[in-house]
């Protein structure tokens, strides 16, 4: 089993995502929501934060938050999966616990 | 009214995650009534405020991105975007809203007052402003 | 105080603005005008309809200055002044016309 790590801060502004990636184990599940959805975007200066972990962590992005920010789903980094609110609930339910990197 | 000042609104936060972007926009709308020279600067995550196609139906928040397009009517003459911030965030000028400006008396018009500028120009514009409001 | 139009109740805030923009029907404007002892003419409706279109496009109620300029451009120069607009809406074109149109009070309007 694994833990669900949630990140909601912009990777450009806070080190929440960086710490989450550094301090979570392989096999962890990561959900990006609110301003953290920008980390899932291709072609940014921080793109490698996510591309370097998609092999050993499962990364999700919350669809409604991503859509609110005017970005097309085709621009999401390969290997990152979009979930809706129900999917968020399922992730909480199917993992051992939730750790929030606020 | 005393002499006209150059007001610069410096926007450095992404929309929706925090209230800064909306608060800045509200102050810009109000300040138009004071007949000052108002310019906006978008840098860091602030460049994300201007993305086209925002759809907030799924998050239950007001989508205020269409409001930027009326700023020309509020006599905002310049909306500058820091090129380095834009590029670092995977965006180009094509991803951003366009804002028209028109002088309704002379019918002089500008198709798009959103302008991508380099860091040197950003520094110059900030330095030349009389007042910088930070959000 | 809520207002009633054709047996339907519309919720308003403490200043009389409609709580839910999407609830609006023309009868709301007529009822609000009636309470102000005002008869709505085509000239009033031109302004109310313009305000609703503006809100639909930009998601805010326009400031009076913006409204005045837009009316001048859209409905003719002779109408693009505050005298004309105050003639139609004596409580203020921003406040009163926006209220009739079901819009929130314009930003910066006290």
């Amino acid at each position: 089993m694994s833990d669900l790590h949630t990140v909601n801060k912009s990777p450009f502004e806070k080190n929440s995502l960086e710490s989450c990636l550094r301090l979570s184990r392989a096999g962890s599940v990561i959900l990006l929501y609110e301003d953290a959805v920008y980390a899932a975007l291709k072609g940014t200066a921080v793109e490698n934060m996510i591309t370097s972990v998609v092999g050993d962590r499962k990364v999700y992005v919350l669809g409604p938050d991503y859509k609110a920010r005017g970005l097309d789903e085709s621009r999401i980094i390969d290997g990152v999966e979009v979930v809706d609110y129900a999917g968020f609930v399922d992730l909480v339910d199917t993992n051992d616990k939730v750790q929030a990197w606020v | 009214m005393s002499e006209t000042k150059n007001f610069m609104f410096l926007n450095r936060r992404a929309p929706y995650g925090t209230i800064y972007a909306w608060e800045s926009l509200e102050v810009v709308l109000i300040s138009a009534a004071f007949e000052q020279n108002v310019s906006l600067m978008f840098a860091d995550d602030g460049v994300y405020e201007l993305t086209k196609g925002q759809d907030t139906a799924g998050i239950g928040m007001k989508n205020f991105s269409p409001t930027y397009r009326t700023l020309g009517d509020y006599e905002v003459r310049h909306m500058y975007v820091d090129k380095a911030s834009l590029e670092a965030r995977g965006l180009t000028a094509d991803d951003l809203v366009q804002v028209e400006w028109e002088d309704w008396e002379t019918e002089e018009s500008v198709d798009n007052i959103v302008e991508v500028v380099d860091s040197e120009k950003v520094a110059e514009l900030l330095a030349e402003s009389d007042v910088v409001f930070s959000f | 105080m809520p207002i009633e139009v054709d047996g339907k109740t519309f919720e308003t805030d403490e200043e009389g603005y409609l709580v839910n923009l999407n609830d609006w029907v023309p009868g709301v404007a007529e009822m609000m005008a009636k309470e102000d002892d005002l008869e709505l003419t085509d000239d009033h409706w031109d302004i109310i309809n313009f305000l609703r279109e503006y809100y639909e496009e930009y998601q805010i109620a326009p400031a009076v200055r913006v409204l005045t300029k837009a009316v001048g451009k859209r409905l003719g120069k002779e109408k693009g002044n505050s005298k004309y607009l105050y003639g139609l809406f004596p409580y203020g074109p921003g406040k009163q016309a926006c209220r009739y149109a079901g819009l929130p009070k314009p930003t910066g309007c006290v």
Side-chain angles (χ1 to χ4, degrees):
Chain A
M1 284 292 275
S2 55
D3 283 349
L4 172 66
H5 296 261
T6 63
V7 183
N8 71 336
K9 298 295 188 294
S10 164
F12 300 101
E13 197 180 41
K14 294 252 163 71
N15 63 0
S16 309
L17 178 61
E18 192 187 337
S19 297
C20 166
L21 299 178
R22 184 166 57 89
L23 303 171
S24 62
R25 299 199 297 191
S28 297
V29 179
I30 296 165
L31 174 73
L32 307 169
Y33 72 109
E34 294 178 356
D35 284 349
V37 301
Y38 295 120
L41 190 62
K42 274 184 201 164
T44 74
V46 299
E47 181 182 31
N48 73 318
M49 291 175 79
I50 294 300
T51 54
S52 65
V53 298
V54 284
D56 64 8
R57 323 248 175 125
K58 185 70 210 162
V59 183
Y60 295 90
V61 61
L62 190 61
D65 280 333
Y66 186 81
K67 204 172 174 194
R69 286 157 178 80
L71 307 164
D72 195 84
E73 285 194 10
S74 63
R75 299 170 75 164
I76 293 177
I77 293 167
D78 296 335
V80 175
E81 204 176 308
V82 180
V83 287
D84 58 11
Y85 290 113
F88 190 165
V89 174
D90 287 341
L91 288 174
V92 173
D93 188 45
T94 53
N95 286 283
D96 291 322
K97 66 175 186 293
V98 179
Q99 183 171 334
W101 298 84
V102 291
Chain B
M1 183 80 55
S2 56
E3 65 183 299
T4 309
K5 287 200 155 74
N6 293 317
F7 283 12
M8 177 65 86
F9 287 80
L10 175 57
N11 301 284
R12 298 181 47 250
R13 306 294 183 99
Y16 310 118
T18 61
I19 196 75
Y20 292 94
W22 171 239
E23 297 254 295
S24 173
L25 188 51
E26 283 207 297
V27 180
V28 169
L29 294 172
I30 293 165
S31 66
F34 298 113
E35 300 188 27
Q36 306 294 329
N37 294 326
V38 176
S39 300
L40 277 62
M41 176 68 72
F42 296 85
D44 296 327
D45 278 354
V47 301
Y48 283 135
E49 293 179 26
L50 297 181
T51 55
K52 279 190 284 207
Q54 295 181 23
D55 176 1
T56 59
I59 62 170
M61 291 175 79
K62 183 186 172 80
N63 177 4
F64 53 84
S65 65
T67 306
Y68 291 104
R69 290 190 293 103
T70 191
L71 290 181
D73 303 321
Y74 281 75
E75 291 175 18
V76 171
R77 276 305 306 272
H78 298 284
M79 293 171 66
Y80 300 104
V81 179
D82 173 43
K83 187 164 183 264
S85 301
L86 196 65
E87 285 175 353
R89 282 159 186 78
L91 302 179
T92 67
D94 290 342
D95 293 312
L96 308 179
V97 293
Q98 297 204 351
V99 181
E100 263 177 73
W101 178 89
E102 186 184 359
D103 185 314
W104 293 1
E105 257 140 48
T106 64
E107 295 193 356
E108 177 199 350
S109 69
V110 180
D111 288 345
N112 187 14
I113 59 168
V114 178
E115 188 186 341
V116 179
V117 293
D118 63 24
S119 306
E120 202 179 326
K121 181 75 178 168
V122 174
E124 183 188 315
L125 289 163
L126 292 174
E128 285 174 354
S129 302
D130 295 310
V131 191
V132 178
F133 297 95
S134 298
F135 290 90
Chain C
M1 214 174 60
I3 56 168
E4 275 205 34
V5 178
D6 297 333
K8 218 183 144 204
T9 306
F10 295 83
E11 210 186 325
T12 59
D13 67 13
E14 67 271 18
E15 293 179 283
Y17 291 82
L18 215 59
V19 171
N20 217 329
L21 173 78
N22 297 325
D23 286 353
W24 188 89
V25 291
V28 168
E30 278 156 11
M31 183 58 77
M32 287 177 170
K34 201 174 153 195
E35 286 171 359
D36 292 337
D37 284 325
L38 187 77
E39 180 132 7
L40 295 181
T41 64
D42 287 349
D43 289 338
H44 291 96
W45 280 109
D46 282 345
I47 307 301
I48 292 169
N49 290 331
F50 168 78
L51 285 168
R52 290 193 59 83
E53 283 165 29
Y54 182 91
Y55 191 92
E56 181 67 30
E57 186 162 3
Y58 301 118
Q59 297 298 304
I60 53 165
V64 178
R65 270 157 50 100
V66 175
L67 173 65
T68 308
K69 284 198 294 186
V71 166
K73 191 177 155 83
R74 298 254 305 239
L75 307 174
K77 274 223 157 80
E78 73 285 358
K79 295 181 176 177
N81 59 75
S82 50
K83 193 171 169 233
Y84 173 78
L85 291 171
Y86 272 91
L88 291 175
F89 299 98
Y91 295 104
K95 282 192 216 181
Q96 193 178 10
C98 286
R99 192 164 55 83
Y100 290 1
L103 270 49
K105 195 156 80 168
T107 300
C109 194
V110 284

